[in-house]
Each structure stands twice: as C-alpha cells, then as structure tokens.
Amino acid sequence: MLSYNDTVILVELKQRGALGPNWVKDAEQQLRVTIDHFEKTEAAESFENKKAYIANSEHPKFKESQIERMEKFAEDTGYILRIENRIILM
C-alpha cells in the first residue's frame, strides 16, 4: 500500500509468465480481496482517491485490451485499476 495526501494505492506485484496467461486474473482477484479487507477499516475513509495497480517487472503484453477489465473493476470496487510496469505518483 502506498499513500499520500488523500490518495491510496494498493499494489499487487507479479512477474509475467509466472502463471502463464492467468497472472492478471490472479492479481486482480488478490486486489479484490485486499480492497474488501481495507474497506472494512476506518483508514479507508481517509482517502478520496483510490487506485489499484497490478505491477509487473516486465512490460505487460496482452493479446487483447484490458479496458473492459479495468472498467468493471472500478464499477465493482470504486478503485481505479491500472496494469503497468511502473507506478506513477501524481
């Protein structure tokens, strides 16, 4: 977990290929569990901006777009999901 000002970022680190093509799916599920636990704490109320990253040491390579996955994640959790190899704090 990273936090600054009114922003919290939950991070799931993965190594592409470790789970074959399922690494994103596995990481997303782990983030959902973490978010569920975090949202039950008082600390969650302190943050207006909520983000989640699936970070990969290798540049993510996808055969298809992850936009639908990211939109569904935001609808379900209230967290903006990004799948990247770098986390940019802004």
Side-chain angles (χ1 to χ4, degrees):
M1 181 176 102
L2 306 169
S3 66
Y4 61 95
N5 301 329
D6 65 347
T7 301
V8 65
I9 303 172
L10 300 176
V11 180
E12 181 63 32
L13 300 174
K14 290 294 180 194
Q15 182 177 354
R16 190 178 61 82
L19 295 170
N22 293 320
W23 65 270
V24 173
K25 189 176 182 180
D26 180 61
E28 178 187 350
Q29 184 57 39
Q30 289 178 347
L31 279 170
R32 287 176 180 273
V33 170
T34 301
I35 288 168
D36 184 54
H37 288 295
F38 181 66
E39 285 297 316
K40 292 176 182 173
T41 70
E42 288 182 29
E45 298 172 14
S46 304
F47 300 102
E48 185 175 321
N49 300 307
K50 297 179 177 183
K51 302 177 183 182
Y53 273 79
I54 298 173
N56 198 310
S57 61
E58 299 181 35
H59 184 59
K61 299 172 186 169
F62 302 110
K63 292 181 181 176
E64 56 199 44
S65 173
Q66 297 293 318
I67 292 172
E68 286 182 30
R69 177 185 301 276
M70 292 186 286
E71 289 175 352
K72 174 114 174 74
F73 190 91
E75 283 178 28
D76 293 349
T77 67
Y79 283 69
I80 296 169
L81 176 64
R82 295 292 178 254
I83 305 167
E84 311 213 356
N85 64 337
R86 291 186 182 158
I87 299 171
I88 300 172
L89 302 176
M90 297 175 94

